[in-house]
Amino acid sequence: MKIEMRDIHKAFGTNQVLTGVDFDLEPGEVHALMGENGAGKSTLMNVLTGLHSLDQGIIVIDGKETKYENAKEAENNGIAFIHQELNVWPEMTVLENLFIGKELRTSFGLLKSKEMRAMAKRQFEELAVTIPLDAIAGSCSVGEQQMIEIAKALMTQAEVIIMDEPTAALTEREIEKLFEVIESLKSKGVSIVYISHRMEEIFAICDRITVMRDGKTVDTKPIPETSFDEVVTKMVGRELKDRFPERNVKLGEVILEVKGLTNTRSFQDISFSVREGEVVGVSGLMGAGRTEIMRSIFGIDPLEAGEIWLNGKKTTIKNPAQAVAQGIGFITEDRKDEGLVLDFSIRENMALPNLKSFSPKGVIDRKAEGDFVDMLIKRLSIKTESGETSAGNLSGGNQQKVVIAKWIGIGPKVLILDEPTRGVDVGAKREIYQLINELTERGVAIVMVSSELPEILGMSDRILVVHEGRISGELMKADATQEKIMTLATGGQ
Ligand SMILES: Nc1ncnc2c1ncn2[C@@H]1O[C@H](COP(=O)(O)OP(=O)(O)OP(=O)(O)O)[C@@H](O)[C@H]1O
Ligand SMILES: [Mg+2]
């Protein structure tokens, strides 16, 4: 299938999101789409697949002008879309999710359960996915849910597959598998639109790249003819300084210390401490138990054993409210679940947890609140018309920035960050690192769970590696390397 999109325009109300995008896709190519958060990548693909109508421009598919009425029609015509925001139905089983809306039926309308199960099994095997088909989808980790979505798209036998940030939540191994599948699809003539903020991946598997900035195409080039630096410069419209800003903070007293935390299902005997101004990175493979540990410290999940000490005093945390009251903040990996209320405006999301500071006399000081929200929008370069936009209408990366802003405002003493820059573009990543540094200057103790090794290495004073629910090793910044972390993460010594 060959796709050409010419001079595409799209506005939401007065917000001009696409203002003349050209994009084309050849059969059997992997075409990267890159651009800062809010550049319009997801919107462009939503226009292609009929989720949004276009205001101007044309779409030509195999020589014929085409306009799909909805995503279903696009899918029926061979275009599958793996969305950036996961869409699994949490109450249904994995198998049911794989076949929602496209159940196989006999001529009598009966479900062909056996066939569906066999088909799902084959697809999972090809992707080396081991999730039980009868598991409840909502109980799967974010990474597993992502694999379910990928499998679901692959099963449609599409000629074009759009992957919007497919690897953000995947393990190294899952990513490798996905890349193998992409190679094999390519050899069958399937084309892929690959949207990602991870430069390394794009240079590893893509044939061409289109860079977008502010709703326009900046350039399209074969991958071998470009470089990291060129792409970044085109994306942000300027040269970017060093990836990880320098930090010079004197570490203070131990603020948070945990001893022997255990929740037999997910982790055992977890002990570590964090000092004022320190960034402790927590590395490990997806599913090693890192998120579960953090959830328990924050009081979301119960602990079976272990102690939590704050400022040298033993304490109990039974729920998130108690954690927050004692100065602990938590930026979750799943922004849709716990981080963000999509129906609320940016202002409400940011200001809600901070209401006390805007209402010293019991009355909300709207001016202070507005200034605070505007400051954070500006600081994190959140792409929006105003603070009144509802969070659900922001681009994926910009949603993540709102979550971070919300917690920064609270002024926690300990801030736990779980995959803080997932889906965030290079420029904004640096802003977030800079913010983390500023927090440490104010004495905040940071625990940062991240699956991006460069981020762990670039930002941590000390690195804990978690393997199968236990801390398998601890490395100081000075002698940490990618290899050492990987060895510990996979159970080696
Ligand atoms: N349904 C909508 N209503 C209003 N505005 C929207 C809607 N969807 C997207 N936008 C706006 O369009 C712009 C582009 O968003 P889009 O999601 O396409 O960005 P993106 O390039 O995919 O970014 P990211 O890398 O963060 O995913 C953003 O400013 C966003 O707020
Ligand atoms: Mg997007």
Side-chain angles (χ1 to χ4, degrees), residues 319-347:
N319 53 51
Q322 288 182 0
V324 174
Q326 298 186 69
I328 302 180
F330 184 27
I331 295 174
T332 56
E333 68 171 339
D334 191 352
R335 59 176 172 260
K336 227 175 166 180
D337 202 22
E338 284 138 20
L340 203 64
V341 186
L342 294 177
D343 293 337
F344 280 16
S345 68
I346 298 175
R347 174 182 56 77

PDB file of all heavy atoms in Angstrom, residues 319-347:
ATOM      1  N   ASN A 319      -2.084   4.636  53.327  1.00  0.00           N
ATOM      2  CA  ASN A 319      -2.720   5.053  52.071  1.00  0.00           C
ATOM      3  C   ASN A 319      -1.984   6.289  51.536  1.00  0.00           C
ATOM      4  O   ASN A 319      -1.215   6.919  52.263  1.00  0.00           O
ATOM      5  CB  ASN A 319      -4.201   5.341  52.306  1.00  0.00           C
ATOM      6  CG  ASN A 319      -4.398   6.316  53.446  1.00  0.00           C
ATOM      7  OD1 ASN A 319      -3.784   7.390  53.471  1.00  0.00           O
ATOM      8  ND2 ASN A 319      -5.202   5.943  54.430  1.00  0.00           N
ATOM      9  N   PRO A 320      -2.228   6.619  50.269  1.00  0.00           N
ATOM     10  CA  PRO A 320      -1.516   7.746  49.665  1.00  0.00           C
ATOM     11  C   PRO A 320      -1.702   9.060  50.422  1.00  0.00           C
ATOM     12  O   PRO A 320      -0.768   9.862  50.490  1.00  0.00           O
ATOM     13  CB  PRO A 320      -2.115   7.830  48.267  1.00  0.00           C
ATOM     14  CG  PRO A 320      -2.528   6.444  47.951  1.00  0.00           C
ATOM     15  CD  PRO A 320      -3.006   5.871  49.260  1.00  0.00           C
ATOM     16  N   ALA A 321      -2.885   9.259  51.000  1.00  0.00           N
ATOM     17  CA  ALA A 321      -3.112  10.513  51.724  1.00  0.00           C
ATOM     18  C   ALA A 321      -2.111  10.646  52.875  1.00  0.00           C
ATOM     19  O   ALA A 321      -1.555  11.723  53.124  1.00  0.00           O
ATOM     20  CB  ALA A 321      -4.549  10.563  52.241  1.00  0.00           C
ATOM     21  N   GLN A 322      -1.857   9.540  53.568  1.00  0.00           N
ATOM     22  CA  GLN A 322      -0.879   9.579  54.662  1.00  0.00           C
ATOM     23  C   GLN A 322       0.531   9.832  54.120  1.00  0.00           C
ATOM     24  O   GLN A 322       1.330  10.516  54.764  1.00  0.00           O
ATOM     25  CB  GLN A 322      -0.891   8.245  55.426  1.00  0.00           C
ATOM     26  CG  GLN A 322      -2.138   8.064  56.271  1.00  0.00           C
ATOM     27  CD  GLN A 322      -2.101   6.755  57.064  1.00  0.00           C
ATOM     28  OE1 GLN A 322      -1.151   5.988  56.990  1.00  0.00           O
ATOM     29  NE2 GLN A 322      -3.161   6.511  57.817  1.00  0.00           N
ATOM     30  N   ALA A 323       0.823   9.278  52.957  1.00  0.00           N
ATOM     31  CA  ALA A 323       2.141   9.496  52.361  1.00  0.00           C
ATOM     32  C   ALA A 323       2.319  10.978  52.036  1.00  0.00           C
ATOM     33  O   ALA A 323       3.336  11.591  52.380  1.00  0.00           O
ATOM     34  CB  ALA A 323       2.299   8.642  51.107  1.00  0.00           C
ATOM     35  N   VAL A 324       1.311  11.554  51.399  1.00  0.00           N
ATOM     36  CA  VAL A 324       1.389  12.960  51.012  1.00  0.00           C
ATOM     37  C   VAL A 324       1.503  13.843  52.248  1.00  0.00           C
ATOM     38  O   VAL A 324       2.316  14.773  52.307  1.00  0.00           O
ATOM     39  CB  VAL A 324       0.158  13.372  50.166  1.00  0.00           C
ATOM     40  CG1 VAL A 324       0.168  14.869  49.889  1.00  0.00           C
ATOM     41  CG2 VAL A 324       0.132  12.585  48.854  1.00  0.00           C
ATOM     42  N   ALA A 325       0.721  13.510  53.277  1.00  0.00           N
ATOM     43  CA  ALA A 325       0.750  14.305  54.508  1.00  0.00           C
ATOM     44  C   ALA A 325       2.142  14.284  55.144  1.00  0.00           C
ATOM     45  O   ALA A 325       2.535  15.236  55.826  1.00  0.00           O
ATOM     46  CB  ALA A 325      -0.293  13.769  55.489  1.00  0.00           C
ATOM     47  N   GLN A 326       2.882  13.232  54.911  1.00  0.00           N
ATOM     48  CA  GLN A 326       4.223  13.148  55.492  1.00  0.00           C
ATOM     49  C   GLN A 326       5.315  13.604  54.526  1.00  0.00           C
ATOM     50  O   GLN A 326       6.499  13.367  54.753  1.00  0.00           O
ATOM     51  CB  GLN A 326       4.495  11.713  55.950  1.00  0.00           C
ATOM     52  CG  GLN A 326       3.509  11.283  57.042  1.00  0.00           C
ATOM     53  CD  GLN A 326       3.854   9.916  57.594  1.00  0.00           C
ATOM     54  OE1 GLN A 326       4.859   9.753  58.269  1.00  0.00           O
ATOM     55  NE2 GLN A 326       3.029   8.939  57.283  1.00  0.00           N
ATOM     56  N   GLY A 327       4.889  14.196  53.405  1.00  0.00           N
ATOM     57  CA  GLY A 327       5.871  14.800  52.511  1.00  0.00           C
ATOM     58  C   GLY A 327       6.418  13.898  51.428  1.00  0.00           C
ATOM     59  O   GLY A 327       7.500  14.140  50.901  1.00  0.00           O
ATOM     60  N   ILE A 328       5.684  12.865  51.098  1.00  0.00           N
ATOM     61  CA  ILE A 328       6.130  12.004  50.000  1.00  0.00           C
ATOM     62  C   ILE A 328       5.256  12.242  48.768  1.00  0.00           C
ATOM     63  O   ILE A 328       4.033  12.301  48.871  1.00  0.00           O
ATOM     64  CB  ILE A 328       6.040  10.510  50.382  1.00  0.00           C
ATOM     65  CG1 ILE A 328       6.883  10.237  51.627  1.00  0.00           C
ATOM     66  CG2 ILE A 328       6.523   9.628  49.226  1.00  0.00           C
ATOM     67  CD1 ILE A 328       6.859   8.790  52.075  1.00  0.00           C
ATOM     68  N   GLY A 329       5.891  12.409  47.638  1.00  0.00           N
ATOM     69  CA  GLY A 329       5.166  12.561  46.375  1.00  0.00           C
ATOM     70  C   GLY A 329       5.470  11.389  45.471  1.00  0.00           C
ATOM     71  O   GLY A 329       6.524  10.762  45.594  1.00  0.00           O
ATOM     72  N   PHE A 330       4.563  11.084  44.573  1.00  0.00           N
ATOM     73  CA  PHE A 330       4.745   9.909  43.709  1.00  0.00           C
ATOM     74  C   PHE A 330       4.225  10.220  42.316  1.00  0.00           C
ATOM     75  O   PHE A 330       3.042  10.461  42.117  1.00  0.00           O
ATOM     76  CB  PHE A 330       3.983   8.726  44.316  1.00  0.00           C
ATOM     77  CG  PHE A 330       4.149   7.419  43.576  1.00  0.00           C
ATOM     78  CD1 PHE A 330       5.290   7.147  42.834  1.00  0.00           C
ATOM     79  CD2 PHE A 330       3.163   6.444  43.649  1.00  0.00           C
ATOM     80  CE1 PHE A 330       5.452   5.931  42.177  1.00  0.00           C
ATOM     81  CE2 PHE A 330       3.305   5.223  42.998  1.00  0.00           C
ATOM     82  CZ  PHE A 330       4.456   4.974  42.257  1.00  0.00           C
ATOM     83  N   ILE A 331       5.108  10.212  41.358  1.00  0.00           N
ATOM     84  CA  ILE A 331       4.701  10.383  39.968  1.00  0.00           C
ATOM     85  C   ILE A 331       4.661   8.998  39.347  1.00  0.00           C
ATOM     86  O   ILE A 331       5.685   8.353  39.181  1.00  0.00           O
ATOM     87  CB  ILE A 331       5.679  11.302  39.218  1.00  0.00           C
ATOM     88  CG1 ILE A 331       5.603  12.694  39.839  1.00  0.00           C
ATOM     89  CG2 ILE A 331       5.368  11.328  37.736  1.00  0.00           C
ATOM     90  CD1 ILE A 331       6.610  13.667  39.308  1.00  0.00           C
ATOM     91  N   THR A 332       3.452   8.535  39.041  1.00  0.00           N
ATOM     92  CA  THR A 332       3.300   7.135  38.640  1.00  0.00           C
ATOM     93  C   THR A 332       3.645   6.916  37.185  1.00  0.00           C
ATOM     94  O   THR A 332       3.648   7.846  36.389  1.00  0.00           O
ATOM     95  CB  THR A 332       1.842   6.672  38.834  1.00  0.00           C
ATOM     96  OG1 THR A 332       1.012   7.562  38.098  1.00  0.00           O
ATOM     97  CG2 THR A 332       1.459   6.688  40.265  1.00  0.00           C
ATOM     98  N   GLU A 333       3.942   5.669  36.849  1.00  0.00           N
ATOM     99  CA  GLU A 333       4.291   5.358  35.466  1.00  0.00           C
ATOM    100  C   GLU A 333       3.056   5.397  34.572  1.00  0.00           C
ATOM    101  O   GLU A 333       3.142   5.603  33.387  1.00  0.00           O
ATOM    102  CB  GLU A 333       4.980   3.995  35.358  1.00  0.00           C
ATOM    103  CG  GLU A 333       4.080   2.828  35.657  1.00  0.00           C
ATOM    104  CD  GLU A 333       4.713   1.470  35.331  1.00  0.00           C
ATOM    105  OE1 GLU A 333       5.649   1.407  34.529  1.00  0.00           O
ATOM    106  OE2 GLU A 333       4.242   0.482  35.897  1.00  0.00           O
ATOM    107  N   ASP A 334       1.912   5.179  35.181  1.00  0.00           N
ATOM    108  CA  ASP A 334       0.696   5.125  34.388  1.00  0.00           C
ATOM    109  C   ASP A 334      -0.113   6.394  34.594  1.00  0.00           C
ATOM    110  O   ASP A 334      -0.967   6.475  35.447  1.00  0.00           O
ATOM    111  CB  ASP A 334      -0.131   3.903  34.802  1.00  0.00           C
ATOM    112  CG  ASP A 334      -1.269   3.671  33.821  1.00  0.00           C
ATOM    113  OD1 ASP A 334      -1.475   4.541  32.950  1.00  0.00           O
ATOM    114  OD2 ASP A 334      -1.940   2.640  33.941  1.00  0.00           O
ATOM    115  N   ARG A 335       0.173   7.384  33.782  1.00  0.00           N
ATOM    116  CA  ARG A 335      -0.435   8.690  34.050  1.00  0.00           C
ATOM    117  C   ARG A 335      -1.944   8.661  33.913  1.00  0.00           C
ATOM    118  O   ARG A 335      -2.651   9.437  34.527  1.00  0.00           O
ATOM    119  CB  ARG A 335       0.154   9.755  33.127  1.00  0.00           C
ATOM    120  CG  ARG A 335      -0.025   9.454  31.673  1.00  0.00           C
ATOM    121  CD  ARG A 335       0.492  10.589  30.816  1.00  0.00           C
ATOM    122  NE  ARG A 335       0.475  10.167  29.438  1.00  0.00           N
ATOM    123  CZ  ARG A 335       1.537   9.744  28.790  1.00  0.00           C
ATOM    124  NH1 ARG A 335       2.701   9.705  29.393  1.00  0.00           N
ATOM    125  NH2 ARG A 335       1.448   9.366  27.550  1.00  0.00           N
ATOM    126  N   LYS A 336      -2.454   7.741  33.121  1.00  0.00           N
ATOM    127  CA  LYS A 336      -3.885   7.693  32.905  1.00  0.00           C
ATOM    128  C   LYS A 336      -4.596   7.174  34.157  1.00  0.00           C
ATOM    129  O   LYS A 336      -5.712   7.549  34.469  1.00  0.00           O
ATOM    130  CB  LYS A 336      -4.172   6.736  31.762  1.00  0.00           C
ATOM    131  CG  LYS A 336      -5.140   7.271  30.740  1.00  0.00           C
ATOM    132  CD  LYS A 336      -5.210   6.254  29.622  1.00  0.00           C
ATOM    133  CE  LYS A 336      -6.361   6.488  28.708  1.00  0.00           C
ATOM    134  NZ  LYS A 336      -6.370   5.473  27.650  1.00  0.00           N
ATOM    135  N   ASP A 337      -3.899   6.295  34.839  1.00  0.00           N
ATOM    136  CA  ASP A 337      -4.491   5.601  35.960  1.00  0.00           C
ATOM    137  C   ASP A 337      -4.525   6.460  37.212  1.00  0.00           C
ATOM    138  O   ASP A 337      -5.569   6.715  37.786  1.00  0.00           O
ATOM    139  CB  ASP A 337      -3.667   4.338  36.210  1.00  0.00           C
ATOM    140  CG  ASP A 337      -4.458   3.306  36.958  1.00  0.00           C
ATOM    141  OD1 ASP A 337      -5.692   3.388  36.895  1.00  0.00           O
ATOM    142  OD2 ASP A 337      -3.843   2.434  37.589  1.00  0.00           O
ATOM    143  N   GLU A 338      -3.368   6.907  37.630  1.00  0.00           N
ATOM    144  CA  GLU A 338      -3.297   7.577  38.928  1.00  0.00           C
ATOM    145  C   GLU A 338      -2.804   9.009  38.869  1.00  0.00           C
ATOM    146  O   GLU A 338      -2.970   9.761  39.807  1.00  0.00           O
ATOM    147  CB  GLU A 338      -2.366   6.790  39.864  1.00  0.00           C
ATOM    148  CG  GLU A 338      -3.003   5.546  40.402  1.00  0.00           C
ATOM    149  CD  GLU A 338      -2.033   4.378  40.387  1.00  0.00           C
ATOM    150  OE1 GLU A 338      -0.826   4.614  40.323  1.00  0.00           O
ATOM    151  OE2 GLU A 338      -2.491   3.226  40.411  1.00  0.00           O
ATOM    152  N   GLY A 339      -2.199   9.360  37.731  1.00  0.00           N
ATOM    153  CA  GLY A 339      -1.537  10.654  37.709  1.00  0.00           C
ATOM    154  C   GLY A 339      -2.434  11.808  37.324  1.00  0.00           C
ATOM    155  O   GLY A 339      -2.308  12.913  37.830  1.00  0.00           O
ATOM    156  N   LEU A 340      -3.365  11.539  36.424  1.00  0.00           N
ATOM    157  CA  LEU A 340      -4.017  12.648  35.755  1.00  0.00           C
ATOM    158  C   LEU A 340      -5.516  12.409  35.674  1.00  0.00           C
ATOM    159  O   LEU A 340      -5.966  11.313  35.424  1.00  0.00           O
ATOM    160  CB  LEU A 340      -3.454  12.689  34.326  1.00  0.00           C
ATOM    161  CG  LEU A 340      -3.501  13.976  33.559  1.00  0.00           C
ATOM    162  CD1 LEU A 340      -2.638  15.022  34.250  1.00  0.00           C
ATOM    163  CD2 LEU A 340      -2.961  13.738  32.156  1.00  0.00           C
ATOM    164  N   VAL A 341      -6.302  13.481  35.882  1.00  0.00           N
ATOM    165  CA  VAL A 341      -7.733  13.360  35.634  1.00  0.00           C
ATOM    166  C   VAL A 341      -7.981  13.962  34.258  1.00  0.00           C
ATOM    167  O   VAL A 341      -7.883  15.168  34.070  1.00  0.00           O
ATOM    168  CB  VAL A 341      -8.550  14.121  36.705  1.00  0.00           C
ATOM    169  CG1 VAL A 341     -10.036  13.858  36.511  1.00  0.00           C
ATOM    170  CG2 VAL A 341      -8.105  13.697  38.093  1.00  0.00           C
ATOM    171  N   LEU A 342      -8.261  13.114  33.290  1.00  0.00           N
ATOM    172  CA  LEU A 342      -8.304  13.572  31.900  1.00  0.00           C
ATOM    173  C   LEU A 342      -9.414  14.581  31.631  1.00  0.00           C
ATOM    174  O   LEU A 342      -9.287  15.443  30.785  1.00  0.00           O
ATOM    175  CB  LEU A 342      -8.452  12.372  30.954  1.00  0.00           C
ATOM    176  CG  LEU A 342      -7.263  11.413  30.930  1.00  0.00           C
ATOM    177  CD1 LEU A 342      -7.553  10.232  30.008  1.00  0.00           C
ATOM    178  CD2 LEU A 342      -5.985  12.107  30.481  1.00  0.00           C
ATOM    179  N   ASP A 343     -10.513  14.471  32.380  1.00  0.00           N
ATOM    180  CA  ASP A 343     -11.628  15.393  32.159  1.00  0.00           C
ATOM    181  C   ASP A 343     -11.405  16.754  32.799  1.00  0.00           C
ATOM    182  O   ASP A 343     -12.121  17.701  32.531  1.00  0.00           O
ATOM    183  CB  ASP A 343     -12.926  14.808  32.747  1.00  0.00           C
ATOM    184  CG  ASP A 343     -13.353  13.561  31.985  1.00  0.00           C
ATOM    185  OD1 ASP A 343     -12.938  13.432  30.827  1.00  0.00           O
ATOM    186  OD2 ASP A 343     -14.078  12.735  32.560  1.00  0.00           O
ATOM    187  N   PHE A 344     -10.417  16.826  33.686  1.00  0.00           N
ATOM    188  CA  PHE A 344     -10.146  18.095  34.348  1.00  0.00           C
ATOM    189  C   PHE A 344      -9.217  18.947  33.491  1.00  0.00           C
ATOM    190  O   PHE A 344      -8.476  18.442  32.659  1.00  0.00           O
ATOM    191  CB  PHE A 344      -9.464  17.843  35.695  1.00  0.00           C
ATOM    192  CG  PHE A 344     -10.399  17.444  36.803  1.00  0.00           C
ATOM    193  CD1 PHE A 344     -11.685  17.008  36.538  1.00  0.00           C
ATOM    194  CD2 PHE A 344      -9.970  17.515  38.127  1.00  0.00           C
ATOM    195  CE1 PHE A 344     -12.529  16.636  37.565  1.00  0.00           C
ATOM    196  CE2 PHE A 344     -10.811  17.142  39.167  1.00  0.00           C
ATOM    197  CZ  PHE A 344     -12.095  16.706  38.883  1.00  0.00           C
ATOM    198  N   SER A 345      -9.284  20.246  33.727  1.00  0.00           N
ATOM    199  CA  SER A 345      -8.397  21.140  32.996  1.00  0.00           C
ATOM    200  C   SER A 345      -6.972  20.985  33.536  1.00  0.00           C
ATOM    201  O   SER A 345      -6.750  20.395  34.598  1.00  0.00           O
ATOM    202  CB  SER A 345      -8.840  22.584  33.181  1.00  0.00           C
ATOM    203  OG  SER A 345      -8.635  22.974  34.529  1.00  0.00           O
ATOM    204  N   ILE A 346      -6.038  21.548  32.790  1.00  0.00           N
ATOM    205  CA  ILE A 346      -4.639  21.538  33.243  1.00  0.00           C
ATOM    206  C   ILE A 346      -4.563  22.228  34.603  1.00  0.00           C
ATOM    207  O   ILE A 346      -3.925  21.742  35.536  1.00  0.00           O
ATOM    208  CB  ILE A 346      -3.762  22.302  32.234  1.00  0.00           C
ATOM    209  CG1 ILE A 346      -3.803  21.604  30.886  1.00  0.00           C
ATOM    210  CG2 ILE A 346      -2.346  22.445  32.743  1.00  0.00           C
ATOM    211  CD1 ILE A 346      -3.073  22.361  29.795  1.00  0.00           C
ATOM    212  N   ARG A 347      -5.258  23.377  34.699  1.00  0.00           N
ATOM    213  CA  ARG A 347      -5.221  24.124  35.962  1.00  0.00           C
ATOM    214  C   ARG A 347      -5.712  23.263  37.121  1.00  0.00           C
ATOM    215  O   ARG A 347      -5.066  23.176  38.164  1.00  0.00           O
ATOM    216  CB  ARG A 347      -6.082  25.392  35.851  1.00  0.00           C
ATOM    217  CG  ARG A 347      -6.223  26.155  37.165  1.00  0.00           C
ATOM    218  CD  ARG A 347      -7.113  27.382  37.017  1.00  0.00           C
ATOM    219  NE  ARG A 347      -8.450  27.079  36.507  1.00  0.00           N
ATOM    220  CZ  ARG A 347      -9.429  26.544  37.218  1.00  0.00           C
ATOM    221  NH1 ARG A 347      -9.237  26.249  38.492  1.00  0.00           N
ATOM    222  NH2 ARG A 347     -10.597  26.279  36.676  1.00  0.00           N
TER     223      ARG A 347
END
